[in-house]
Amino acid sequence: MLVLVAVALPGASPPSAWADDEDAAAMAAALKDATLTLQDGLKAGEREGQPISAQFEIDEGKLRLSVYTSKGDDFTEVVADPKTGAIVKSAKIADADELSDAADQKAAMAKATVSLVAAVDMAVKENTGALAVAVFPDLRDGHPVADVTLLQGTTAKTVTKKLE
């Protein structure tokens, strides 16, 4: 059983907050033992290509960090252990919906002059005490932006950062 707490699909547009307070509380509890940040996960994903999105999620009761990467025409999901930073899985994305989302994310990053790591760093810096739990790039009116979901305590919110 796969339960995605941060968002419904890795490439889906992120919600402004989780579906309910229980989801945010579950994520906050799961993140207590994590040593890996979202930014660390994005950097780890660089081994497989350009990171195009990332999110913490709960899979079968265990916290994991999923990073989508792009290399050439291929898309890969890299899964890291949030406690050790070790890559536990790297698999080519084959699902049609996920491929479509990844292609949209790649298109946004192709126009970006700011990295996802830098966008997440800015969002965290502007929201003292918050922890980034997801980042998804998008094109809005032809301009690249990143929606960064932050968790502060058990409250989640999404902020948008310009990528140019």
Side-chain angles (χ1 to χ4, degrees), residues 103-123:
D104 290 346
Q105 293 166 1
K106 179 182 178 181
M109 292 309 298
K111 289 189 169 196
T113 57
V114 175
S115 72
L116 289 179
V117 171
V120 171
D121 283 343
M122 284 187 281

Side-chain angles (χ1 to χ4, degrees), residues 39-126:
Q39 299 94 309
D40 294 332
L42 287 163
K43 291 173 191 171
E46 290 174 353
R47 290 178 253 172
E48 297 292 328
Q50 179 190 19
I52 56 173
S53 66
Q55 71 175 345
F56 281 101
E57 56 193 16
I58 298 176
D59 180 14
E60 296 180 359
K62 294 183 182 178
L63 182 68
R64 71 183 205 158
L65 179 57
S66 171
V67 180
Y68 273 25
T69 65
S70 167
K71 185 185 273 186
D73 292 332
D74 292 329
F75 298 104
T76 302
E77 179 185 22
V78 178
V79 178
D81 180 323
K83 290 182 185 178
T84 66
I87 294 177
V88 295
K89 176 182 145 188
S90 179
K92 189 174 179 178
I93 298 170
D95 178 81
D97 289 337
E98 291 179 16
L99 282 171
S100 175
D101 291 338
D104 290 346
Q105 293 166 1
K106 179 182 178 181
M109 292 309 298
K111 289 189 169 196
T113 57
V114 175
S115 72
L116 289 179
V117 171
V120 171
D121 283 343
M122 284 187 281
V124 170
K125 185 178 179 181
E126 293 168 2

